[in-house]
Amino acid sequence: MLTGWRRWALAFVAGAVFSLAQAPFHLVIVGFVCFPLLIWLLDGVIARDGRMKSGMRQAAGIGWWFGFGYFVAGLWWIANALLIEAPEFAWFIPIAVLGLPAILACFYALACALVWPLWSDSLTRFFALGAAFGLAEWLRSFVLTGFPWNAIGYTVMPVPLLMQSVTLVGLFGMSALAVTLFGMPAAFSAARRSTLVSAVVLAVLFAGGHAGFGVWRLYFEPRQPAAENLNVRLVQPDLDQFDKIEQQDPAAQFSDLLTLSTLPSDAPPADLIIWPETAVPFLLTREPAALAAIGDMLLPGQTLITGAVREEISTAEEGGDPRFFNAIMMVDADGIIQGASDKVHLVPFGEYLPLAGFFERLGLRAVAQADRGYSAASSRRGLQIGGINIVPLVCYEVIFPHQLIPGDLILNVTNDAWFGQTPGPYQHMHQARLRAVESGTPLIRVANNGISGIFDSHGRAIAWLGYGDRGAVDENVALSSQPSKYGLGQEYNFWLLLLMMAFISCIGLFRARG
């Protein structure tokens, strides 16, 4: 029954505490406290204000403050990227740390506003809230270029055993189910004992089914023989981001990559050697000596895959200025670039400036730009090694489920050194890991300073280089003989789930009014 600033403050605190359910903390238990608080705050709006317009506005306010607390506490580490070049970007820290969460919180405000017409004092309001948040998380994945970082569904998937349900309804379906489950303890305030009993039964069924499906997939599901095996070496140079930007000695940085790539190992020679995002400290196409050095380093039949800036020279008719792409390149043992894939989904204000003319007049540039900033590829281009189709994803592209294309192997190269040893790199790794489970496709992740690893199609870690580790790791990757599963099946199941939850909410509303 709180009002005014006390209501907003409690919503903010509940959202902030809920961020602890994300990586690296994985305190899932806080969800069973924070969402009941959110539900009780919404109950208070219904009890005090039954008018549609006013009630929806109050509910949206509660949702916004909850989301603002959640995203401020979960994304504060973004400020670390701005401290790398503090003299130029430090002034932007308050805008990034508070402005981005303020925008993202609007999606949770929308969820709470949408749920208001379906609200009742029955158990079904939990389903209404879950459906609304599932829809909000789906919208967050593409509106204003999209930023589905720390979607609520990740909180109920901290380990492989609890990741498998994502194959059924996708990330946003898991977000809807997570909110519904987290809300069940709110039934302890119900006047009727039957409501509490029903909530306990539903919670047990939800949690038990979630864990039980994971047990079946990991231990009892029939296994298909591997279609092919690939020996890979992941190289993690652990280069400080300030040194990377300043490029005081690019030749030494490049030499270090070559040295790590040739470290002795008891493992069979690698078919693939993989370097992280923008690992090459210069334009590779302008440095034939560097390509020759790569060719000399590789054994016959080996291929290097590396993140690098790709330059595209424009003709005079096109403007004459070169364009730069954040790319993944393949180089063979002859030192020849055999293929490249450019990043499609660029980071706003990081790799390019929206409304560039306006912001450039203000003296602002993209944080991680290359000369005049990066250009985006028009579509995703897969890479092929022999008969193996590789799905290349650069940096945060891996957090977008719809960015996946069919393939035998997902490759994510990234540079999380921007964010230091904060929750950011751990959150990024966890979200990348879920793409492997979602698609049924093994994933290789190579980061400049961590976290690098190889994950099978069930999200289990096969090899690992922790944050701040410098070195290389060799492993054999078994490629699945089954095609990628992510696609329309999960999309259909997600929408079907939301319709079912909305229908249940309508039944509860009619019964409450009847």
Side-chain angles (χ1 to χ4, degrees):
M1 303 305 291
L2 296 176
T3 60
W5 69 268
R6 294 177 179 82
R7 171 188 287 170
W8 312 137
L10 182 58
F12 177 87
V13 171
V17 172
F18 180 59
S19 69
L20 296 174
Q22 294 286 1
F25 311 104
H26 294 301
L27 298 179
V28 184
I29 191 69
V30 300
F32 294 99
V33 176
C34 298
F35 272 95
L37 286 174
L38 177 64
I39 289 170
W40 289 329
L41 287 171
L42 292 172
D43 284 342
V45 170
I46 307 302
R48 286 178 175 271
D49 199 335
R51 294 170 296 173
M52 173 70 76
K53 185 176 180 180
S54 176
M56 290 184 72
R57 186 170 63 249
Q58 293 293 323
I62 291 171
W64 187 88
W65 280 103
F66 180 88
F68 188 55
Y70 176 63
F71 290 116
V72 167
L75 297 175
W76 62 266
W77 46 265
I78 290 176
N80 200 82
L82 302 173
L83 291 173
I84 301 296
E85 296 183 88
E88 184 173 357
F89 293 107
W91 66 271
F92 197 67
I93 289 176
I95 299 175
V97 174
L98 300 178
L100 178 60
I103 294 171
L104 296 176
C106 293
F107 292 96
Y108 290 4
L110 176 64
C112 291
L114 289 176
V115 81
W116 194 91
L118 296 176
W119 206 256
S120 68
D121 60 356
S122 72
L123 198 65
T124 59
R125 72 191 190 280
F126 306 154
F127 290 90
L129 191 67
F133 267 86
L135 179 63
E137 294 290 43
W138 173 75
L139 290 171
R140 193 157 69 89
S141 71
F142 65 87
V143 174
L144 299 176
T145 78
F147 190 62
W149 195 283
N150 279 0
I152 292 174
Y154 290 119
T155 63
V156 291
M157 298 185 286
V159 294
L161 179 69
L162 299 177
M163 293 177 182
Q164 308 310 310
S165 300
V166 76
T167 61
L168 301 176
V169 294
L171 173 62
F172 309 122
M174 291 303 299
S175 296
L177 291 172
V179 172
T180 306
L181 176 63
F182 286 145
M184 291 297 175
F188 279 95
S189 67
R192 290 176 294 185
R193 180 182 176 86
S194 60
T195 302
L196 175 58
V197 172
S198 299
V200 171
V201 171
L202 280 173
V204 170
L205 289 175
F206 272 41
H210 180 42
F213 184 68
V215 170
W216 177 78
R217 283 208 80 213
L218 292 181
Y219 303 110
F220 297 102
E221 184 183 34
R223 292 284 183 266
Q224 297 291 330
E228 193 166 349
N229 288 280
L230 196 65
N231 294 317
V232 299
R233 166 167 282 199
L234 314 186
V235 175
Q236 184 167 293
D238 190 29
L239 179 64
D240 182 83
Q241 186 59 31
F242 182 79
D243 294 336
K244 188 175 176 65
I245 292 175
E246 291 299 313
Q247 291 193 345
Q248 295 178 351
D249 194 350
Q253 295 177 18
F254 182 70
S255 176
D256 187 50
L257 288 165
L258 295 175
T259 299
L260 292 174
S261 301
T262 54
L263 289 175
S265 171
D266 294 332
D271 302 305
L272 286 181
I273 297 174
I274 307 174
W275 294 353
E277 178 188 11
T278 59
V280 180
F282 38 70
L283 293 172
L284 197 54
T285 51
R286 293 185 185 180
E287 301 290 340
L291 287 170
I294 291 173
D296 292 339
M297 178 266 294
L298 295 174
L299 298 175
Q302 285 186 325
T303 300
L304 171 72
I305 296 183
T306 180
V309 178
R310 188 179 73 84
E311 181 184 28
E312 187 175 278
I313 305 299
S314 303
T315 63
E317 292 77 12
E318 295 172 328
D321 293 328
R323 295 197 301 162
F324 299 94
F325 297 85
N326 192 349
I328 299 176
M329 294 184 178
M330 295 191 310
V331 183
D332 66 14
D334 294 322
I336 298 174
I337 298 175
Q338 292 292 344
S341 178
D342 301 326
K343 189 175 184 180
V344 175
H345 202 130
L346 301 180
V347 181
F349 298 99
E351 295 172 309
Y352 78 101
L353 281 181
L355 304 174
F358 171 76
F359 285 111
E360 285 173 354
R361 284 195 294 271
L362 297 178
L364 189 67
R365 68 176 178 88
V367 177
Q369 71 174 9
D371 294 346
R372 299 187 180 185
Y374 288 115
S375 297
S378 58
S379 62
R380 189 165 310 286
R381 179 182 178 182
L383 299 174
Q384 285 199 338
I385 303 291
I388 300 171
N389 296 313
I390 298 176
V391 181
L393 299 171
V394 180
C395 192
Y396 91 142
E397 285 185 316
V398 79
I399 73 170
F400 297 90
H402 57 269
Q403 293 287 342
L404 293 178
I405 59 175
D408 304 306
L409 177 69
I410 302 171
L411 173 63
N412 176 220
V413 297
T414 188
N415 175 24
D416 291 348
W418 286 100
F419 308 114
Q421 195 164 8
T422 66
Y426 297 89
Q427 293 172 4
H428 197 185
M429 182 278 296
H430 185 65
Q431 293 171 70
R433 190 176 190 173
L434 262 294
R435 296 293 83 76
V437 186
E438 226 171 17
S439 62
T441 309
L443 176 135
I444 297 175
R445 184 175 194 268
V446 186
N448 170 39
N449 63 336
I451 304 164
S452 300
I454 300 173
F455 304 93
D456 70 7
S457 58
H458 290 73
R460 291 171 293 203
I462 301 172
W464 189 273
L465 279 169
Y467 187 88
D469 292 343
R470 179 182 178 275
V473 63
D474 297 284
E475 192 54 69
N476 180 271
V477 182
L479 304 181
S480 174
S481 59
Q482 297 177 333
S484 301
K485 298 177 182 177
Y486 183 81
L488 291 179
Q490 290 176 13
E491 292 282 351
Y492 289 147
N493 290 345
F494 165 65
W495 289 110
L496 180 61
L497 175 67
L498 291 199
L499 287 174
M500 290 175 57
M501 296 174 80
F503 180 70
I504 292 171
S505 305
C506 290
I507 292 176
L509 182 65
F510 293 146
R511 290 185 62 182
R513 292 180 176 178

